[in-house]
Amino acid sequence: MVKLIPSIILLVSSTCAIAAAAPHTLTLHRQAKGSYKDMAASEGNRWAKKATSGVHTPAINDFFKYNIEVSIGHPPQASYPIFDTGSPYLWVSDQVYDVPKSASARSLNSSITLAYGAGNVTIDLYNDTISLGKDLIIKQELGVASNLTALQIQTEGVIGFAPEAMALAYTNQFSYIPTPMHNLIASHKIGKYLFAVDFRPLRNTTVNVANGQIDIGELDRSKYTGDVIYSPISKKSPFKYFWSTDVPKIKFGGKTMVSDLSAVLDTGSPLILATWKILQEIFSDIEGLGTDGRVMTVPKSQVHKLKDVTFELAGGSITYKTEQYLVPSFLEPDFGPTNGTQYTFFGVFGEFGLPLILGEPLMEHYYTIFDGVNKRVGFATRK
Ligand SMILES: *[C@@H]1O[C@H](CO)[C@@H](O)[C@H](O)[C@H]1NC(C)=O
Ligand SMILES: *[C@@H]1O[C@H](CO)[C@@H](O)[C@H](O)[C@H]1NC(C)=O
Ligand SMILES: *[C@@H]1O[C@H](CO)[C@@H](O)[C@H](O)[C@H]1NC(C)=O
Ligand SMILES: *[C@@H]1O[C@H](CO)[C@@H](O)[C@H](O)[C@H]1NC(C)=O
Ligand SMILES: *[C@@H]1O[C@H](CO)[C@@H](O)[C@H](O)[C@H]1NC(C)=O
Ligand SMILES: *[C@@H]1O[C@H](CO)[C@@H](O)[C@H](O)[C@H]1NC(C)=O
């Protein structure tokens, strides 16, 4: 008999506000030219390289998300799910993974609903062989989705790299589903609960390029310089279930504008997301701050008054430079009509009890480290 586990990921609950962290919180997305497969086939492979230790997986970027190649089943079927540090599970669309065609697929006879910031997805659970890049081959519990209409973004799947704590916390709602990192370690494919992202901002409208890598199991010291700014994972709830950090201060220029926040590091967020109140506090020197509903805009006349935004962490501060948080003009058409304003990479969110989410546009400027061994996150200056 089919065991149907009802769809319960609590979005609002005082004791358990650990909903899957908004991997994709925007309707903002461009019609990708061709499929992710075309992108990866054309350019992705040349980024894949085997290093002496650790494994390097190319990250493929199509403006607002980074996908990695995951082959599923026997014979392998390629898919390009979003690499998401804000949620713990792997699922793909039935359009890219045809279960009956995989000789190694086993049904787990259950189905669950995941509640993302971008909408809900119901998945049927299977167990099959997956391969990340060319080297990491494991048995993995994964979901297959047949209806993505409730999801506000275009994707063929999500691969979750949230900490084990989040998957364990979900056992309130359904039985434990091992994360890809758990299985990588349990099967001795990697030695350490550690990965780092090396994302690269796009410089033009060419989307079919691999923009960076994910380093799993080890850091790649050739990619950064100087000391790493480390900060422990926040002990506060719900942050403790995420890759997160306390943020004692946010500065605009040299001036402290906001104090005592915590933030989630979410590669699945295409913006730096905060409540409207926090954004207004950070940018209180700017007149006429606005939004298009989600993305923060600044009147063109005020752009010269913008200053660097600094996030002060336990181990040091990381700076998001003005020129880094202004949306470059070649990307504007993908954001929409500007109405004479300037788009930024800041956006309005604040659901799920998460007032601040540091998304991929900030991580694009650092070598960003997710260290499960020492329960901390790190930022290093990219070479
Ligand atoms: C997603 O699922 C949750 C929990 O079942 C529910 O509360 C929420 O309304 C759903 N969201 C949408 C957009 O359907
Ligand atoms: C799922 O159900 C099928 C058919 O009843 C059964 O053969 C299989 O063992 C079940 N799988 C699991 C993991 O329980
Ligand atoms: C998936 O398969 C692996 C290898 O056969 C097994 O160790 C694991 O327990 C399975 N997962 C589930 C949830 O049955
Ligand atoms: C797909 O999901 C949408 C939104 O949840 C629902 O309205 C629609 O009926 C579903 N389609 C199918 C074929 O189940
Ligand atoms: C576009 O940017 C990519 C890097 O993202 C670069 O490799 C390529 O040369 C650029 N193309 C043009 C036409 O400038
Ligand atoms: C521009 O104006 C349109 C129509 O009023 C509105 O829908 C849109 O959100 C505005 N965009 C911005 C960036 O203000």
Side-chain angles (χ1 to χ4, degrees):
M1 212 189 95
V2 173
K3 184 176 158 211
L4 187 73
I5 299 171
S7 60
I8 335 153
I9 293 186
L10 294 179
L11 296 188
V12 211
S13 154
S14 50
T15 52
C16 177
I18 47 128
H24 341 287
T25 47
L26 301 186
T27 49
L28 234 206
H29 56 95
R30 90 187 307 262
Q31 300 296 337
K33 297 171 186 129
S35 71
Y36 304 140
K37 273 179 205 152
D38 300 334
M39 293 178 204
S42 58
E43 296 270 355
N45 291 337
R46 74 192 163 85
W47 290 82
K49 66 167 187 182
K50 184 97 176 79
T52 47
S53 60
V55 173
H56 307 273
T57 301
I60 301 147
N61 145 308
D62 76 336
F63 285 174
F64 304 120
K65 39 190 154 35
Y66 283 86
N67 312 291
I68 63 171
E69 179 175 352
V70 179
S71 298
I72 308 171
H74 179 76
Q77 301 176 45
S79 66
Y80 291 85
I82 295 171
F83 182 84
D84 182 30
T85 57
S87 66
Y89 304 128
L90 167 65
W91 63 264
V92 294
S93 153
D94 64 356
Q95 300 299 303
V96 294
Y97 171 48
D98 189 356
V99 175
K101 286 200 180 133
S102 171
S104 45
R106 296 285 172 271
S107 172
L108 295 177
N109 300 330
S110 68
S111 129
I112 59 174
T113 294
L114 304 175
Y116 291 98
N120 292 354
V121 184
T122 299
I123 55 176
D124 296 326
L125 292 172
Y126 290 87
N127 204 350
D128 206 343
T129 304
I130 69 161
S131 146
L132 305 177
K134 302 280 170 282
D135 315 294
L136 298 175
I137 299 168
I138 50 174
K139 275 280 184 215
Q140 178 64 46
E141 295 76 0
L142 74 150
V144 180
S146 53
N147 183 354
L148 296 181
T149 49
L151 206 61
Q152 294 165 30
I153 53 137
Q154 266 194 334
T155 184
E156 54 185 52
V158 172
I159 183 162
F161 270 70
E164 200 60 16
M166 189 188 285
L168 290 169
Y170 276 126
T171 55
N172 293 341
Q173 277 101 45
F174 40 79
S175 25
Y176 173 69
I177 303 169
T179 62
M181 271 307 260
H182 173 97
N183 285 335
L184 285 167
I185 289 171
S187 60
H188 307 291
K189 298 294 170 176
I190 58 171
K192 274 193 248 170
Y193 201 125
L194 176 75
F195 61 93
V197 299
D198 182 31
F199 288 159
R200 303 286 162 120
L202 287 169
R203 300 212 158 72
N204 53 51
T205 51
T206 312
V207 288
N208 57 341
V209 288
N211 277 44
Q213 293 186 336
I214 320 289
D215 297 324
I216 305 175
E218 286 295 340
L219 304 182
D220 182 344
R221 295 196 182 273
S222 71
K223 292 209 182 99
Y224 65 92
T225 174
D227 290 338
V228 179
I229 293 166
Y230 279 113
S231 183
I233 289 178
S234 175
K235 293 193 164 49
K236 294 177 198 156
S237 198
F239 302 95
K240 64 183 178 187
Y241 300 110
F242 290 85
W243 295 110
S244 64
T245 171
D246 289 332
V247 183
K249 283 179 188 164
I250 302 179
K251 292 178 173 171
F252 182 78
K255 197 162 88 181
T256 300
M257 311 304 274
V258 191
S259 303
D260 288 330
L261 285 179
S262 301
V264 162
L265 273 65
D266 181 14
T267 55
S269 282
L271 297 171
I272 314 308
L273 293 165
T275 62
W276 182 231
K277 180 170 174 285
I278 291 171
L279 292 174
Q280 282 179 310
E281 284 168 1
I282 299 172
F283 295 97
S284 57
D285 293 350
I286 305 301
E287 283 156 39
L289 216 58
T291 77
D292 68 347
R294 196 68 108 177
V295 182
M296 190 185 90
T297 58
V298 172
K300 289 273 188 207
S301 62
Q302 296 281 304
V303 169
H304 72 280
K305 287 165 68 181
L306 290 170
K307 294 186 174 136
D308 295 351
V309 173
T310 302
F311 300 94
E312 211 162 273
L313 314 181
S317 34
I318 52 168
T319 297
Y320 198 22
K321 297 198 177 101
T322 308
E323 65 267 25
Q324 293 171 342
Y325 67 73
L326 297 180
V327 168
S329 53
F330 74 86
L331 276 181
E332 277 181 350
D334 294 283
F335 276 66
T338 63
N339 309 339
T341 65
Q342 166 69 51
Y343 281 110
T344 70
F345 285 114
F346 285 93
V348 188
F349 187 62
E351 290 163 51
F352 301 167
L354 301 173
L356 181 62
I357 298 175
L358 304 177
E360 50 90 349
L362 176 65
M363 293 182 222
E364 282 179 333
H365 300 285
Y366 288 90
Y367 185 70
T368 314
I369 297 163
F370 301 80
D371 178 353
V373 179
N374 300 297
K375 302 217 174 342
R376 61 186 181 175
V377 295
F379 293 87
T381 306
R382 275 204 357 226
K383 253 186 202 161

